[in-house]
Amino acid sequence: MAYMSQEGYDKLVAELQHLESVERPKASAAIAEARDKGDLSENAEYDAAKEAQAHLEDKINRMKLSIAEAKIIDTSRLSTDSVQILSTVEMTNLTTKAKMTYTIVSESEANLKEGKIAITTPIAQGLLNKKEGDEVEISIPRGTIKLRIDKITV
């Protein structure tokens, strides 16, 4: 089961509809075009188009599964007492004094450019259930970081 916001769910559904209504017909057209070029036994274009279609179908199937297993969280019922999924956490790196803000989301919604990190990441795991003012040490691939939680919002 994947917990996600309504916004994340809606984006996933829209992307799936795009893949099914736009990308799938494109993939079929590419296969048909390659097939028309003759001998399939030595047709690299045909093989590439078939492989691209297989990847697309795999992606569509994974998205359908994510949508089927999605549990939409009502953000109005979330607490800011401690860090949980869909919490936005403002924190300070105690070593570098750098300030950062992340929102903890499901894996399908994660987007570092938007400041959204997956709940499965080491930082998110280290922040879960912590409160404002808490200082945490989190092991990340580059070592250990020390963070202070400054503010939790939804």
Side-chain angles (χ1 to χ4, degrees):
M1 184 178 309
Y3 292 96
M4 60 181 66
S5 65
Q6 184 67 50
E7 175 192 359
Y9 180 83
D10 292 344
K11 273 185 178 176
L12 202 58
V13 169
E15 186 179 351
L16 176 63
Q17 288 172 340
H18 174 77
L19 291 177
E20 289 180 325
S21 63
V22 177
E23 298 302 322
R24 185 182 269 162
K26 275 188 197 173
S28 296
I31 290 171
E33 185 179 319
R35 190 183 311 119
D36 290 343
K37 293 187 177 169
D39 185 9
L40 297 182
S41 64
E42 294 180 19
N43 189 334
E45 194 175 324
Y46 177 78
D47 292 341
K50 288 294 281 183
E51 188 173 329
Q53 183 187 40
H55 286 297
L56 177 65
E57 291 302 324
D58 182 51
K59 184 174 184 178
I60 287 171
N61 289 333
R62 281 183 302 181
M63 289 178 85
K64 282 182 176 179
L65 184 62
S66 291
I67 289 168
E69 293 178 342
K71 174 87 172 103
I72 298 170
I73 297 172
D74 180 359
T75 53
S76 68
R77 300 180 67 193
L78 291 177
S79 164
T80 57
D81 293 342
S82 64
V83 178
Q84 55 194 324
I85 191 160
L86 299 184
S87 291
T88 298
V89 185
E90 293 177 29
M91 61 204 125
T92 303
N93 180 323
L94 296 174
T95 307
T96 65
K97 303 297 182 216
K99 300 235 181 241
M100 53 188 130
T101 302
Y102 291 125
T103 300
I104 299 173
V105 297
S106 66
E107 283 195 44
S108 62
E109 294 180 83
N111 182 336
L112 200 52
K113 288 179 185 167
E114 295 176 6
K116 296 178 179 181
I117 60 171
I119 194 161
T120 54
T121 61
I123 290 177
Q125 288 293 303
L127 294 172
L128 284 178
N129 301 315
K130 300 297 188 275
K131 300 180 181 331
E132 284 183 14
D134 284 358
E135 293 183 4
V136 294
E137 282 192 31
I138 302 172
S139 294
I140 59 171
R142 289 191 306 236
T144 301
I145 59 170
K146 291 182 179 185
L147 301 172
R148 182 184 63 238
I149 299 171
D150 299 323
K151 187 175 181 184
I152 302 169
T153 55
V154 178

